[in-house]
Amino acid sequence: MEYHEWLKQLKVGDEVIYHAWGFGSHYALAKVERITPTGFIRVNGTLFKPDTGYARNCGACIRDPNEDKAMEALKEYNKAVFVSKTMRRIRNTNMNDVTYDQAVEIAKIMGWEI
């Protein structure tokens, strides 16, 4: 289905991929919250133009979750977020809570010399 046709048939509760950018890129699975009488589409509190799918007042757009490229971008974004959160948790771990053996395993996983 063509993107413009997909936009026109969206209904409240339909799932979309919310893509925002600015200082970085952000992807999220979201639901259509409202369709205004003039056809604007509200997702995550942002209004999107019914003819383009781009936000009215910020760098964002909505994408079809059935589109392979959009879903792949969402998956890659979620992987990067997971890595970031994991590294933050490692940085914030109290070294007194980590045994020598655990540290050796982490070093092996990371490919660091012991």
Side-chain angles (χ1 to χ4, degrees):
M1 173 183 316
E2 186 190 313
Y3 180 71
H4 295 290
E5 293 173 17
W6 173 77
L7 278 173
K8 287 179 184 177
Q9 71 174 25
L10 281 175
K11 302 178 296 303
V12 172
D14 284 353
E15 206 165 61
V16 299
I17 293 178
Y18 175 87
H19 177 202
W21 55 87
F23 293 108
S25 207
H26 170 79
Y27 291 86
L29 218 45
K31 293 195 185 264
V32 173
E33 299 165 353
R34 180 173 188 250
I35 307 288
T36 69
T38 55
F40 281 87
I41 305 156
R42 182 179 298 277
V43 176
N44 284 355
T46 303
L47 285 177
F48 293 89
K49 297 175 185 175
D51 54 340
T52 65
Y54 282 86
R56 222 170 56 157
N57 59 352
C58 66
C61 69
I62 50 175
R63 298 173 71 179
D64 185 350
N66 297 313
E67 178 192 335
D68 290 339
K69 285 172 49 177
M71 197 51 119
E72 187 61 32
L74 175 65
K75 288 177 185 176
E76 289 303 313
Y77 174 78
N78 286 336
K79 286 179 186 178
V81 168
F82 176 76
V83 169
S84 177
K85 286 180 179 179
T86 300
M87 296 311 294
R88 188 176 316 118
R89 287 179 73 185
I90 289 171
R91 278 193 307 275
N92 293 334
T93 299
N94 184 337
M95 70 178 227
N96 294 327
D97 295 337
V98 179
T99 67
Y100 174 80
D101 291 335
Q102 289 171 325
V104 168
E105 287 302 311
I106 292 168
K108 284 180 186 176
I109 290 168
M110 297 305 292
W112 300 331
E113 283 191 41
I114 300 173

